[in-house]
Amino acid sequence: MKNRLKLSVLLALLGVVPSVFGQGTPEEYKRSLAVDTLFKNKVYNSPELFHWQGDSLCWYKNNTAKGTEYLLVSTGDLSRKAAFDHGKLASRLSDLTGNDVNAANLGISDLLIEDRSFVFHTDSLKIRCSLPDYRLEVLKKMDREEDRRRKYWGGRFDETGNDPVISPDSSYVGFIKNSNLYIKNRNTEEETQLSFDGSPGFFYSSYIHWSPDSKKIMAYKVRPGGDRKIYFVRSAPENQFQPELESRDYLKPGDQLPFRSPQLFHVASGKHFPLHTGLFAEQYGLSGFSWRSDSSAFTFEYNQRGHQVYRVLSADADTGEVRVIIEETSPTFIDYSSKKYRYDTENGKEIVWASERDGYNHLYLYDVETGKVKKQLTKGNWPVRKVLEVDEENRQVYFTASGMDKDQDPYLLHYCRVDFDGKNLVRFTRENGNHEVTFSPGHAYYIDRYSRVDAPPVTVLKDAATQKEVLPLEKADVSALMDTGWKTPEVFTAKGRDGKTDIWGIIVRPTNFDPSKNYPVIEYIYAGPHDSFVPKSFRTVYYGMTNLAELGFIVVQIDGMGTSNRSKAFHDVCWKNLKDAGFPDRKLWIKAAAKKYSYINSDMVGIHGTSAGGQNAGAAVVFNSDFYKVAVASCGCHDNRMDKIWWNEQWMGYPVGPHYAACSNTENAASMDGKLMLMVGEVDDNVDPATTMQFADALIKAGKDFELVVLPGQSHTSGGTYGDRKRKDFFVKNLLKVTPPSWQDIYE
């Protein structure tokens, strides 16, 4: 029954869909359900991964209308050709495995091209294929079973969990006993106690750092922090009938954190040098302990609680005296969690460092000895997005950046290089697209794949010396996709709250779009300050958007002020102000779109999001109900005091003050107006599910009508299939004012 329904839906979609269909009808539900299948594998000649062998050869898999082909690019003669005879290899593999191997779907990986052979992997074998006879030799049987157990993000760091540490010269081993630091001579087995001030409440960590010359040790004492846990009940566990109580370590804003106190020891004399803590007293954390190669000092990083001071510190190995190499300060926040970058040169004399001190994220070269900036390496009204590589030999830095072109979307990624003296900025990409570059190992050539949401991928080979295209490789074929009725998203911009700054987003329309109809708007929101979120590369399906559009909506996604990857001022809007979520910019953007397109109904606007987006969706009808009428908030952090410490203190600051309550959906629940659905997984260990229940409790006490969907056994989620159905019905009922069709009619 299900297969026949899917087939009938796909056939109907591939035909002409009559415009007489309404919005939110069973037919549109079926189209919404089928978009993933309908659009999948409809874009050809759009390879994604490229594998270099030196600077001369690169292979990749190309997806064609007939199947997968393996292609070999040679920079020597600038050629592109089949890596091997697909038919011959398929025949030999069929003989070897006893299975019928299709030449258009070989399913091999990890090619290594040799002189008269090539090596590759199947799911279970490593094989060499000799040329020209295509004789196969099994080199190894592969075990590709992966450990799929999910690791908990918030697990407490075990300071006692490290094994004893052997000195670089192998003569000693350092270890912890009775909360103190000991060493043992590996020849005589004699133990020596180096520290005597450790105790269970302030103990030495087992993470011991020997100096390269084996003459000194850096070890740090730890005073443990608070012990907060979150609890929840797994109502329907798979392994038993009765429910289970579960807990997780989970520090929240304002909780006590561990305090680390670095200590220096001279092995021969046994002398102990406690480091003065004045420069790192108010710790959020200490990290990055590392000895200089000449054993003259060790460095570490200090992140001050509140994230307004960040230091790179150096401790003298003879005296333990601590000095500042780099100090970052900010009246708002230092984005240590997303933008921090540090690279120490091999000789320990210089550091490449990222900073937003001039208003944009840029790179600086520091002199370690003086603690002074030798040179600002990049500069301009655009941000460095990521450092790719530091080439010490040539004293160059490879990085990505965005916003360098006034006639392009400021979020599009471009690839660049700059010298250590801040000169000779080279741009490897200039085309109007979001670029993904794969350099050859020696950086002599690179493959550039670029696209936009409204422009299919193009893949070319370029010469790094000239940054020019030397060989076209692929141009995506989207004809089969367009035949389904797929609509290209529109990139749209409007001025933000200041009347000057461009706010960027996209508009997604349904496949049966009819400009004579009236379309309510749904915004898919995620306004987490740690990044920007509007898609920039070509896709066939846009998560959280495409399937909703098929029900008869215009669906949009926007990066408002307070999100990242623009200027520091643009980002700072979020500071101690997460309720803002860029809403003043989002409202203006949607109104501008409605002014341009009369079929967009900006008087009927809904919104949905998950996690930080769930908080944002809740805030839409708590703080912005003048504009947003319907919201679905999944697994939201509705009060930042209830969520994980690192994310919330990064943006909301420390100490926990009245601004936390001012930004709380829960505290301000009485202001909620409109239609709201709250969705939460009962065992969410990312965002404490109690924050949703507290919001619900506050709404009940305020006499507010809302819907609550609790998902048994689910963790941090948008709801899966069930949640997707509930979300669709909620918008259809409350925005389209249509009674949703029976699930039995749609999903069975």
Side-chain angles (χ1 to χ4, degrees), residues 321-603:
E321 182 180 350
V322 181
R323 66 181 181 88
V324 176
I325 300 175
I326 298 173
E327 179 170 273
E328 287 291 332
T329 62
S330 172
T332 55
F333 58 85
I334 295 163
D335 188 358
Y336 80 95
S337 60
S338 299
K339 295 191 178 79
K340 186 188 82 70
Y341 180 81
R342 171 187 169 188
Y343 178 91
D344 292 45
T345 57
E346 190 173 347
N347 61 15
K349 293 183 178 180
E350 295 171 312
I351 295 176
V352 177
W353 180 256
S355 169
E356 292 187 281
R357 64 187 61 172
D358 76 349
Y360 287 86
N361 195 43
H362 282 298
L363 300 177
Y364 297 78
L365 185 67
Y366 267 84
D367 185 308
V368 171
E369 294 301 325
T370 65
K372 303 294 184 182
V373 175
K374 295 179 70 173
K375 194 69 180 180
Q376 182 171 351
L377 304 187
T378 61
K379 190 175 181 64
N381 294 337
W382 48 267
V384 169
R385 296 284 292 274
K386 182 180 180 181
V387 176
L388 304 170
E389 182 181 349
V390 175
D391 179 354
E392 281 197 54
E393 182 179 353
N394 294 301
R395 296 183 65 77
Q396 296 171 329
V397 183
Y398 290 79
F399 62 94
T400 58
S402 57
M404 303 179 83
D405 303 283
K406 291 185 178 180
D407 59 345
Q408 293 186 20
D409 181 331
Y411 296 92
L412 297 179
L413 281 178
H414 286 279
Y415 285 67
C416 308
R417 186 186 69 207
V418 69
D419 291 351
F420 270 26
D421 60 5
K423 298 179 180 178
N424 300 321
L425 177 66
V426 172
R427 288 193 55 180
F428 295 103
T429 59
R430 292 185 179 274
E431 297 89 346
N432 187 1
N434 201 41
H435 292 259
E436 301 170 65
V437 163
T438 308
F439 286 100
S440 65
H443 299 94
Y445 293 90
Y446 57 101
I447 290 179
D448 182 12
R449 180 184 187 270
Y450 57 93
S451 69
R452 299 191 310 269
V453 295
D454 55 357
V458 172
T459 307
V460 299
L461 174 69
K462 292 181 176 178
D463 184 326
T466 64
Q467 304 91 53
K468 301 294 185 183
E469 176 185 331
V470 292
L471 183 67
L473 298 177
E474 308 295 343
K475 187 174 183 180
D477 177 0
V478 297
S479 56
L481 177 66
M482 302 308 292
D483 287 345
T484 66
W486 185 85
K487 292 288 186 293
T488 304
E490 179 184 353
V491 178
F492 187 79
T493 62
K495 298 299 180 184
R497 69 189 77 181
D498 60 2
K500 300 181 294 183
T501 304
D502 284 332
I503 304 299
W504 291 73
I506 61 172
I507 299 171
V508 175
R509 299 173 175 83
T511 53
N512 67 342
F513 171 71
D514 182 347
S516 68
K517 289 184 178 180
N518 181 278
Y519 289 91
V521 180
I522 297 175
E523 180 181 355
Y524 176 44
I525 189 169
Y526 193 98
H530 54 277
D531 207 344
S532 53
F533 305 97
V534 175
K536 299 300 170 185
S537 295
F538 189 87
R539 304 178 191 171
T540 58
V541 175
Y542 291 85
Y543 178 79
M545 304 180 72
T546 305
N547 63 352
L548 284 174
E550 289 304 309
L551 296 176
F553 298 105
I554 296 295
V555 187
V556 304
Q557 190 171 2
I558 308 158
D559 281 321
M561 290 186 185
T563 53
S564 190
N565 300 324
R566 298 283 288 275
S567 69
K568 184 72 166 79
F570 189 100
H571 200 185
D572 277 348
V573 169
C574 74
W575 187 59
K576 295 187 176 182
N577 187 32
L578 286 182
K579 73 174 183 180
D580 180 278
F583 280 121
D585 314 303
R586 297 170 189 278
K587 293 186 224 181
L588 290 170
W589 190 98
I590 293 172
K591 288 177 181 178
K595 184 177 181 180
K596 181 175 181 179
Y597 300 113
S598 60
Y599 51 80
I600 293 180
N601 184 354
S602 61
D603 293 325

Side-chain angles (χ1 to χ4, degrees), residues 228-248:
R228 185 188 294 278
K229 298 183 186 299
I230 56 171
Y231 297 90
F232 30 73
V233 173
R234 189 178 295 272
S235 303
E238 295 182 359
N239 60 342
Q240 65 183 48
F241 178 69
Q242 296 297 330
E244 289 181 327
L245 175 66
E246 298 184 8
S247 68
R248 305 283 191 277

Side-chain angles (χ1 to χ4, degrees), residues 7-8 13 64 66 71 76-77 91 123 160 265 287 305 310 317 385 456 460 468 483 527 534 546 557 609 645 717:
L7 179 61
S8 64
L13 285 168
T64 74
K66 295 180 180 179
L71 297 171
D77 58 5
S91 176
D123 283 340
T160 66
F265 298 88
S287 61
R305 192 83 183 258
Y310 200 101
R385 296 284 292 274
V460 299
K468 301 294 185 183
D483 287 345
V534 175
T546 305
Q557 190 171 2
I645 186 172
T717 178

